[in-house]
Amino acid sequence: MTNATAQTVVDYPGSLNHQDCIEVYRTATDQKQTVFDVTVYYQPGYWLRLSSSGVLHGCQTGKTYRLVKAEGFELDKQVVMPDSGCRDFKCYFEPIDARDQAVHWIDRKNDTLFTALNVRPVSRSKEMFACRIKGTVAGERPCVRLLFYDFDQDNRVRPPLSIPVRGNRFDYIYYTDKPEVKMLTKWDEYMEGSWYVIPFFVEQGENEITILPKGTDLELCRATAANQEWKRIRQETDRRGDECQLDEYYKTMREMSPKQKLTPEAFTLHEQLQALYAKKEKQGEDQVLDDSIDQIYKQRAQLKEAQKMYSPEYTQLRKNVDRIWSLINRTMVTQMAKSPSLPALYRLYQLIAEAIDENSPELQPYYQIYQRNFAPLWSEHSLGKHLEYMTKAGIQMKVGEQYPLFEARDLTGKQVSVNGLIKGKWALVDLWASWCGPCRQHSEEMIPVYRKYADKGFTVVGIAREQYVSDALEAIREDGYPWVQLIDLRDEFCIWLRHGIGNSGGCLFLVDPEGKIAAIRPSAEEVEAILEQHLGH
């Protein structure tokens, strides 16, 4: 909006990308200066530094605007974060040319805080509507920030939106042109590595909510129809579970000791794992210990796949619980299919994800209901598309199945057919990320294998899941990968989802010359053994 002094104010200015530790919640520009209302978020007791040499670069004119001063944050100093984990302050820059609609904020050389931060009001199409989210964060522990992001979003790849919380109150307006499924998470819990994910449905209207200290439910003081419906779905599901006395089953399962719960072989692995973790806690990081721990987890996975993980008593309890939940969920899905709304679709999406994860026979019936009742309405919606990708991956991404057709971009931005790169060869498709330490370790272990068989019909194609191309380039330089590297920038191609690995760091897929999957998550030794058998002569 513009007032009488010709000052342009933008609340919650959007940007293409930004560092997740800093937010600009208001920009104010006039002929004398540009003022940003800034909040930095970081771990209490840790420090941050902002440079006095920071500048803004105009996106339209290319002009540079100098940082003049900051109020509430000492520049060029290590500023220690308070117990709240946040600090509010103002940054004053030189006045911005009226032609510049957005700016890049560069803190130091090549250190971009914000990309294309809007400093002028953004025109909105007639199709766009406002969804207001206001309310309270309950509980004794103070909360200073809520993260607001897509249902499928990995915040390591796409930064979430940020809702400031002051005095445990928040008030935020989100604009969009379609109904959406978002998630709310408390920032302090997210930083600690254990957090609740609270579904929220975006549609036109106002929501006044209370975020409870624990759990994934909201207390609705006033809410739009979709959020009310989601509440009813959750309550009806819980009511049916209570009627079937599921709590008694869960109580019995919780009270079983590891020795009662596990088979003798699995219990031995459990004790070995506990001993290794105790040793690691005492002596710190140790690669040999990490390798031993990884090996035990692989053995546990093999036992689980062979259905030799749990004792007969515990297995029977799990079967009883699964049978009850199967009846409840099928009844609920049948009811929801009569009114295939977005909340109903999201519940079906959750159930399909669980069926894939557990290799359950429920997958096909659920997917048929989606195709029959939900797809005609929601196939073009992001939730419908993701459900399709996830289901097809659950069915197809198995050893012996045909490897799917898909594309990615090379490091210059050109779109490339992955299948064209691997056609007719033994190929390892390496899904990795610069921020995933185990992925990079597995990739490095493949370098000797690649060099041994590269001239015998073997290739590797790496695909990095990144927020910035520069992160992938730096990791490639550090690790020295000698093969072709592609990138899925901010999940443009949904490659991880289409491979059935969700938001995990990465995965390895060995593909034979006929285009069939020969191995999933193979070690370097396993890949070498397979290649020696087929290419060693």
Side-chain angles (χ1 to χ4, degrees):
M1 63 181 178
T2 307
N3 60 26
T5 61
Q7 184 184 66
T8 301
V9 175
V10 179
D11 287 318
Y12 301 111
S15 66
L16 284 181
N17 229 319
H18 70 280
Q19 302 278 357
D20 61 3
C21 66
I22 187 167
E23 292 289 347
V24 174
Y25 290 120
R26 169 175 284 196
T27 66
T29 61
D30 58 30
Q31 295 179 352
K32 296 181 179 180
Q33 63 185 5
T34 299
V35 185
F36 287 179
D37 286 8
V38 183
T39 301
V40 288
Y41 299 93
Y42 213 54
Q43 300 269 22
Y46 285 63
W47 60 266
L48 287 173
R49 186 201 303 266
L50 284 177
S51 173
S52 60
S53 61
V55 296
L56 304 178
H57 287 314
C59 292
Q60 281 69 38
T61 66
K63 290 184 176 181
T64 297
Y65 309 100
R66 187 173 54 88
L67 174 60
V68 178
K69 65 176 181 177
E71 289 181 356
F73 196 98
E74 194 172 1
L75 298 174
D76 301 319
K77 301 288 186 182
Q78 293 180 1
V79 178
V80 177
M81 297 302 292
D83 291 342
S84 65
C86 76
R87 187 181 289 273
D88 301 322
F89 60 99
K90 291 181 183 290
C91 282
Y92 294 80
F93 296 87
E94 293 175 322
I96 292 175
D97 191 303
R99 291 172 295 174
D100 277 319
Q101 302 296 307
V103 295
H104 306 312
W105 182 358
I106 314 296
D107 182 43
R108 291 183 294 275
K109 186 178 180 180
N110 297 326
D111 188 4
T112 303
L113 297 181
F114 283 83
T115 302
L117 176 70
N118 295 319
V119 291
R120 311 290 179 192
V122 177
S123 59
R124 298 187 176 93
S125 66
K126 293 180 180 179
E127 291 77 21
M128 296 193 79
F129 58 82
C131 176
R132 187 177 185 184
I133 314 161
K134 59 185 291 189
T136 304
V137 179
E140 296 181 2
R141 183 177 181 178
C143 176
V144 296
R145 185 190 198 189
L146 295 174
L147 304 181
F148 190 56
Y149 51 97
D150 290 339
F151 68 95
D152 63 321
Q153 183 168 325
D154 188 327
N155 294 328
R156 297 167 297 186
V157 178
R158 288 183 286 154
L161 296 174
S162 179
I163 300 177
V165 182
R166 298 296 180 265
N168 278 8
R169 297 283 305 172
F170 56 90
D171 194 341
Y172 184 80
I173 298 177
Y174 177 73
Y175 292 93
T176 184
D177 59 357
K178 60 186 178 301
E180 296 181 31
V181 184
K182 294 283 190 180
M183 298 293 138
L184 284 163
T185 292
K186 297 176 189 175
W187 171 77
D188 54 309
E189 293 179 352
Y190 180 79
M191 290 297 288
E192 290 171 356
S194 178
W195 63 93
Y196 291 104
V197 176
I198 304 168
F200 181 87
F201 295 84
V202 172
E203 58 185 351
Q204 187 169 10
E206 186 169 306
N207 299 269
E208 186 168 359
I209 61 178
T210 298
I211 296 177
L212 304 174
K214 293 183 179 180
T216 59
D217 283 330
L218 294 170
E219 191 175 284
L220 304 179
C221 305
R222 180 168 65 255
T224 54
N227 286 297
Q228 292 180 36
E229 182 181 353
W230 178 249
K231 187 79 171 180
R232 287 194 297 270
I233 290 171
R234 291 293 303 270
Q235 288 175 336
E236 178 63 14
T237 302
D238 291 344
R239 183 189 67 79
R240 291 175 182 271
D242 291 342
E243 285 181 351
C244 297
Q245 298 182 321
L246 277 169
D247 283 347
E248 292 300 316
Y249 286 100
Y250 288 132
K251 181 182 177 184
T252 302
M253 292 164 74
R254 282 195 305 269
E255 291 175 350
M256 294 178 75
S257 68
K259 194 168 186 178
Q260 293 171 315
K261 187 182 296 187
L262 301 171
T263 61
E265 189 177 356
F267 181 68
T268 299
L269 293 177
H270 168 78
E271 288 193 312
Q272 290 173 355
L273 202 55
Q274 296 296 101
L276 286 170
Y277 273 121
K279 192 174 181 180
K280 185 176 179 179
E281 187 174 350
K282 186 178 293 185
Q283 67 185 52
E285 290 297 324
D286 185 299
Q287 189 59 53
V288 175
L289 281 178
D290 288 341
D291 290 344
S292 298
I293 288 170
D294 286 345
Q295 190 59 39
I296 290 177
Y297 275 117
K298 284 184 179 180
Q299 290 175 267
R300 281 164 52 104
Q302 290 169 358
L303 287 179
K304 196 170 183 179
E305 190 174 347
Q307 298 184 348
K308 295 180 180 180
M309 182 79 168
Y310 299 108
S311 67
E313 296 80 12
Y314 187 77
T315 300
Q316 188 57 53
L317 285 169
R318 283 170 56 96
K319 284 182 178 179
N320 291 339
V321 169
D322 291 346
R323 178 180 53 80
I324 293 169
W325 272 123
S326 177
L327 291 171
I328 291 172
N329 290 331
R330 282 201 175 199
T331 302
M332 290 294 297
V333 167
T334 300
Q335 288 183 356
M336 292 187 300
K338 297 175 183 176
S339 180
S341 63
L342 190 58
L345 176 61
Y346 182 65
R347 180 57 185 148
L348 183 59
Y349 173 87
Q350 288 183 321
L351 292 172
I352 286 177
E354 291 173 11
I356 292 171
D357 187 53
E358 297 167 5
N359 198 23
S360 167
E362 302 289 348
L363 174 59
Q364 288 290 357
Y366 287 154
Y367 185 53
Q368 288 169 2
I369 289 173
Y370 165 76
Q371 290 179 307
R372 183 173 62 248
N373 298 88
F374 289 86
L377 290 173
W378 298 106
S379 62
E380 294 303 310
H381 190 275
S382 60
L383 181 55
K385 289 180 180 179
H386 280 64
L387 186 149
E388 289 274 7
Y389 288 151
M390 180 177 68
T391 306
K392 288 178 180 177
I395 295 169
Q396 297 173 359
M397 297 306 294
K398 296 176 182 177
V399 172
E401 296 293 334
Q402 199 72 22
Y403 187 70
L405 297 170
F406 70 97
E407 296 183 331
R409 295 192 187 278
D410 66 18
L411 298 175
T412 68
K414 180 182 177 182
Q415 197 161 322
V416 176
S417 166
V418 176
N419 305 80
L421 295 174
I422 68 174
K423 186 176 181 181
K425 301 177 182 179
W426 278 96
L428 188 73
V429 180
D430 177 19
L431 305 187
W432 67 286
S434 64
W435 40 265
C436 176
C439 304
R440 292 173 66 172
Q441 180 185 336
H442 295 321
S443 300
E444 287 184 76
E445 291 169 355
M446 292 294 173
I447 293 175
V449 181
Y450 172 77
R451 289 194 168 126
K452 183 176 179 180
Y453 294 97
D455 60 352
K456 298 179 180 180
F458 174 59
T459 191
V460 177
V461 176
I463 305 172
R465 187 188 194 194
E466 302 292 346
Q467 186 173 343
Y468 302 103
V469 176
S470 57
D471 292 336
L473 289 171
E474 178 65 17
I476 294 165
R477 185 190 64 78
E478 288 180 3
D479 298 346
Y481 306 135
W483 47 72
V484 172
Q485 290 288 351
L486 306 177
I487 195 164
D488 191 10
L489 205 60
R490 302 181 198 102
D491 287 336
E492 177 188 5
F493 296 97
C494 299
I495 289 173
W496 265 240
L497 181 67
R498 293 168 73 174
H499 281 74
I501 59 172
N503 284 335
S504 65
C507 193
L508 296 162
F509 295 84
L510 184 64
V511 183
D512 71 18
E514 283 70 48
K516 291 187 177 181
I517 300 171
I520 298 175
R521 290 189 176 89
S523 66
E525 293 79 9
E526 290 167 338
V527 171
E528 185 168 10
I530 294 171
L531 294 180
E532 184 62 28
Q533 180 183 353
H534 294 276
L535 303 177
H537 51 80

